[in-house]
Amino acid sequence: MIVDVKTMLEEAREGKYAVGAFNTINLETTRAIIESAVELSSPVIVQLTEKTFDYAGGRAIFHLIKNISEFYANDIPIGIHLDHGKSFEVVMRAMDMGFASVMYDGSRKEYADNVATTKKIVDIAHAKGVSVQAELGNVPYLGEVQMENINWDNYMTDPDQAVDFIERTGIDTLAVAIGNAHGFFRERSQPDYERLSTIVKRVTLPIVMHGASDWQNDRVKEVIARGVSCFNVDTALRLAFIGGLREALQAEEETDLRKILTKAKEHTKDAVKEKMLMFGSDHKA
Ligand code: G3H
Ligand code: 13P
Ligand code: ZN
């Protein structure tokens, strides 16, 4: 059953667990995510980016997720979310397709510009019952920066700015930067847990953690205890999918693509379930 993402994350915060927001690009990954949610009785967010609109066809994949959710998982709370919408236009496109949860990521824009565009989007979105996530500070990407030389102070979410941003824009959920980074590589040696706690004390919205799919149990538990209610996971699923494909392709005589892709799906499912158990979202549906 498709549900409101903000409410789902508020329930997670109350219950001291986090929901996984998993990126999909295709049928197999989508099924891996939703089948895992059904088998573990877990709420889940299925999300996709503009690049995936281009790859799979935005409407095609949106309706694929919606149909699988409604036909095969109607008793499981599922959110469908636009991840990292980088422009006003792509966010409008997503809402037009039927997304009820979107991210506008103006984190690399000038602050005043980010506030103005986010506010414009929130006004339109709220009139349609759509919730909006924003990111403050910024969560760097693999390849975007030399991690050895990174000055983390330039990437962190400023708690005062977060309060100001929320007041001015009316966003529903906030993605924070506390030393987390997209992709698997050396992140800040220790996340800035104190900064997270300061943000959580001053901000009543659900807090989302991007780029933490390589975080192990201790870090995950620590930030959930401090108030994080959602983790975005992409790289861990891609690596699992590729691992499954590699294994399937070793049987050189196999020409049934469904068998090959099923192996990739099964590996992806293992990765999704591992995350759901780590986030504590199992049996919370
Ligand atoms: O954080 C972004 C995700 O890893 C998706 O990346 O824009 O290549 O789909 P993408
Ligand atoms: P990873 O690629 O590190 O899993 O991060 C995913 C993410 O933040 C998607 O928005
Ligand atoms: Zn992200």
Side-chain angles (χ1 to χ4, degrees):
M1 140 203 32
I2 307 296
V3 301
D4 175 55
V5 164
K6 188 179 183 189
T7 310
M8 182 197 277
L9 298 187
E10 283 167 349
E11 283 171 12
R13 192 180 46 195
E14 283 288 300
K16 298 233 172 289
Y17 61 92
V19 175
F22 299 97
N23 289 67
T24 187
I25 60 155
N26 59 11
L27 168 71
E28 292 75 20
T29 309
T30 304
R31 286 194 57 183
I33 297 166
I34 295 176
E35 286 175 16
S36 299
V38 170
E39 287 169 29
L40 289 180
S41 195
S42 169
V44 73
I45 297 168
V46 185
Q47 62 184 9
L48 50 153
T49 65
E50 183 176 5
K51 277 202 231 164
T52 300
F53 288 177
D54 297 340
Y55 169 71
R59 276 180 201 279
I61 190 149
F62 175 79
H63 286 282
L64 178 85
I65 301 167
K66 189 164 182 286
N67 288 344
I68 294 177
S69 304
E70 289 172 351
F71 288 126
Y72 302 108
N74 212 24
D75 48 353
I76 299 293
I78 298 177
I80 310 180
H81 174 75
L82 169 71
D83 186 29
H84 290 288
K86 295 269 169 65
S87 66
F88 176 81
E89 291 71 23
V90 75
V91 174
M92 293 302 122
R93 222 175 118 201
M95 287 198 269
D96 194 43
M97 286 177 204
F99 281 76
S101 177
V102 293
M103 175 182 193
Y104 170 63
D105 178 6
S107 61
R108 281 151 178 79
K109 302 241 159 66
E110 287 297 322
Y111 184 65
D113 184 5
N114 188 7
V115 169
T117 310
T118 305
K119 165 85 176 115
K120 197 160 109 185
I121 287 173
V122 168
D123 288 347
I124 298 169
H126 285 182
K128 295 175 189 277
V130 173
S131 56
V132 181
Q133 181 186 132
E135 175 176 312
L136 275 186
N138 72 65
V139 181
Y141 286 86
L142 178 62
E144 186 189 47
V145 277
Q146 289 290 349
M147 297 311 289
E148 307 76 53
N149 307 327
I150 192 166
N151 179 356
W152 281 106
D153 292 343
N154 298 335
Y155 289 84
M156 299 294 191
T157 305
D158 173 353
D160 292 331
Q161 196 181 63
V163 171
D164 180 69
F165 189 84
I166 291 163
E167 272 172 18
R168 289 185 195 213
T169 61
I171 54 163
D172 300 286
T173 63
L174 178 69
V176 295
I178 57 160
N180 41 320
H182 292 99
F184 281 20
F185 56 105
R186 197 168 61 81
E187 308 201 357
R188 193 174 188 268
S189 54
Q190 247 327 46
D192 192 342
Y193 294 127
E194 286 311 315
R195 181 180 299 268
L196 173 62
S197 290
T198 308
I199 296 167
V200 170
K201 251 183 236 136
R202 300 190 55 198
V203 162
T204 55
L205 306 181
I207 301 293
V208 180
M209 186 69 62
H210 283 235
S213 70
D214 49 347
W215 281 21
Q216 294 312 310
N217 203 35
D218 53 339
R219 285 189 176 195
V220 166
K221 289 281 175 298
E222 182 72 40
V223 297
I224 293 175
R226 288 174 186 259
V228 165
S229 47
C230 180
F231 286 94
N232 278 21
V233 179
D234 185 15
T235 305
L237 302 200
R238 296 193 208 189
L239 294 181
F241 194 100
I242 292 167
L245 271 187
R246 285 215 171 94
E247 201 178 298
L249 290 171
Q250 268 163 14
E252 280 172 24
E253 69 285 1
E254 184 56 73
T255 58
D256 186 338
L257 267 176
R258 289 164 298 198
K259 290 192 179 151
I260 293 170
L261 291 171
T262 295
K263 182 70 100 184
K265 185 192 88 174
E266 292 304 326
H267 277 236
T268 308
K269 229 170 131 174
D270 291 344
V272 174
K273 284 183 168 178
E274 187 186 324
K275 293 295 177 191
M276 286 174 167
L277 292 169
M278 198 187 281
F279 301 157
S281 66
D282 56 297
H283 301 99
K284 302 294 192 312

